[in-house]
């Protein structure tokens, strides 16, 4: 507890000394770039911190816990300080840009095959590390992976939806196109992260444009609804693509197995990607 308070005090003090510039706004958070002298870092502040939103506060706690526990992995975002009261955290500034920005005007990936291999290798290592803790990221997608071409370095970011210390009750969080088939059965496990990384790699390798499904994911749980039909249509497209990958890219095909029990796990995936 003492170390937590120290982090919170140092965060509050530094906040009054920085030059701030706006970076992005998501549904959950405001993200800003800060600079003290030559030092740059990012702050992420919940947009719901003043609303008494218990779910948002629990999500913030989970994100802090996940990042603190996984803070030593080179391909996972690094938390520097946090403030529970204001639901704000300071994070290392990551080099490069998110994978969704590595696309042309038609939303087709401009990443090379070698880059895709490096990204998949580094992200599988990050997921294997998380899953052993055990933590599920639960929102792996191009927006949440930073890639620096100069450094050939990828970092997994945004742990808003992280599920810490399994088992847990099913929750409806997720992003259309990246939720696995078992989501429709109201089931989540670490294998869902592998599926989401597989969809991300479909985009990165250029098999599909950047997915942009617009259905409300929890609404897909209602059978015969519009969102359910959209999700099942998308899953059928993925299965058709997967059939063509069994010979061309067999490991990616294993990541996209619709049966989570037969889907490759993160530890095996990481080990196989380390092989020459």
């Amino acid at each position: 507890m003492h170390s937590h308070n120290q982090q919170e005090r140092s965060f509050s003090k530094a906040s009054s000394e920085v030059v701030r510039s706006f970076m992005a706004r998501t549904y959950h958070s405001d993200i800003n770039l800060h600079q003290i002298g030559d030092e740059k870092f990012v702050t992420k502040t919940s947009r719901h911190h003043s609303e008494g939103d218990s779910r948002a506060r629990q999500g913030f706690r989970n994100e802090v816990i996940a990042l603190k526990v996984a803070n030593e992995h080179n391909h996972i975002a690094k938390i520097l300080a946090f403030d529970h009261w204001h639901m704000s955290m300071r994070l290392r500034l990551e080099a490069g840009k998110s994978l969704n920005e590595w696309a042309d005007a038609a939303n087709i990936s401009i990443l090379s095959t070698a880059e895709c291999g490096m990204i998949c290798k580094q992200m599988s290592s990050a997921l294997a590390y998380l899953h052993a803790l055990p933590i599920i990221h639960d929102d792996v997608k191009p927006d949440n992976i930073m890639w620096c071409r100069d450094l050939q370095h990828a970092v997994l970011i945004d742990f808003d939806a992280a599920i810490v210390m399994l088992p847990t009750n099913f929750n409806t969080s997720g992003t259309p196109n990246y939720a696995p088939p078992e989501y429709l059965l109201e089931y989540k496990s670490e294998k869902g992260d592998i599926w989401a990384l597989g969809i991300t790699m479909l985009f990165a390798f250029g098999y599909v444009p950047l997915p942009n499904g617009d259905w409300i994911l929890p609404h897909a749980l209602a059978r015969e609804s519009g969102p359910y039909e959209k999700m099942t249509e998308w899953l059928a497209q993925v299965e058709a693509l997967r059939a063509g990958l069994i010979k061309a890219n067999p490991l990616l095909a294993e990541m996209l197995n619709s049966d989570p029990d037969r889907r490759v796990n993160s530890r095996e995936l990481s080990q196989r990607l380390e092989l020459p």
Side-chain angles (χ1 to χ4, degrees), residues 83-233:
D83 180 342
H84 275 305
W85 181 255
H86 294 100
M87 294 170 63
S88 187
M89 64 184 71
R90 189 198 304 181
L91 301 161
R92 177 180 63 192
L93 177 64
E94 305 298 346
K97 55 188 179 180
S98 54
L99 287 190
N100 58 300
E101 297 185 55
W102 291 96
D104 62 19
N107 283 327
I108 302 298
S109 170
I110 58 172
L111 296 162
S112 70
T113 300
E115 286 178 303
C116 291
M118 186 66 69
I119 291 164
C120 195
K121 179 179 178 179
Q122 293 176 6
M123 287 299 95
S124 66
S125 173
L127 290 177
Y129 186 85
L130 286 172
H131 295 167
L133 291 174
I135 294 170
I136 299 174
H137 184 278
D138 203 34
D139 202 19
V140 176
K141 58 185 177 182
D143 309 53
N144 291 339
I145 298 173
M146 299 293 291
W147 172 246
C148 179
R149 177 168 279 172
D150 291 340
L151 299 176
Q152 293 288 287
H153 187 75
V155 177
L156 183 62
I157 64 170
D158 198 350
F159 283 67
D160 272 341
I163 299 173
V164 181
M165 304 303 289
L166 305 179
T168 186
N169 294 328
F170 175 79
N171 68 63
T172 59
S173 66
T175 300
N177 292 115
Y178 301 93
E182 60 268 22
Y183 181 95
L184 295 175
L185 301 175
E186 300 188 25
Y187 174 74
K188 285 189 176 184
S189 73
E190 70 280 357
K191 295 288 190 72
D193 282 344
I194 299 301
W195 174 275
L197 180 59
I199 298 296
T200 297
M201 298 316 300
L202 282 181
F203 156 71
F205 277 112
Y207 294 115
V208 297
L210 183 68
N212 61 351
D214 60 356
W215 65 89
I216 299 174
L217 189 56
H219 292 183
L221 296 173
R223 301 299 172 100
E224 300 183 5
S225 66
Y228 176 82
E229 291 180 2
K230 288 183 177 181
M231 183 163 177
T232 52
E233 286 173 6

Side-chain angles (χ1 to χ4, degrees), residues 7-73:
Q7 284 179 300
E8 291 180 341
R9 282 200 298 271
S10 65
F11 185 28
S12 299
K13 181 181 178 185
S15 296
S16 64
E17 301 170 354
V18 301
V19 176
R20 183 176 71 175
S21 58
F22 174 78
M23 289 183 71
R25 167 169 281 195
T26 70
Y27 176 78
H28 296 288
S29 307
D30 287 325
I31 302 170
N32 292 284
L33 173 65
H34 296 251
Q35 184 166 355
I36 306 176
D38 294 332
E39 179 190 5
K40 293 181 179 180
F41 58 89
V42 171
T43 58
K44 179 179 178 181
T45 304
S46 172
R47 296 177 58 197
H48 309 289
H49 71 275
S50 63
E51 301 172 6
D53 187 333
S54 60
R55 182 175 176 182
R57 194 161 292 278
Q58 184 60 52
F60 178 82
R61 290 194 193 99
N62 285 351
E63 183 167 16
V64 168
I65 291 169
L67 288 171
K68 282 171 60 65
V69 170
N71 218 25
E72 299 305 315
H73 197 282

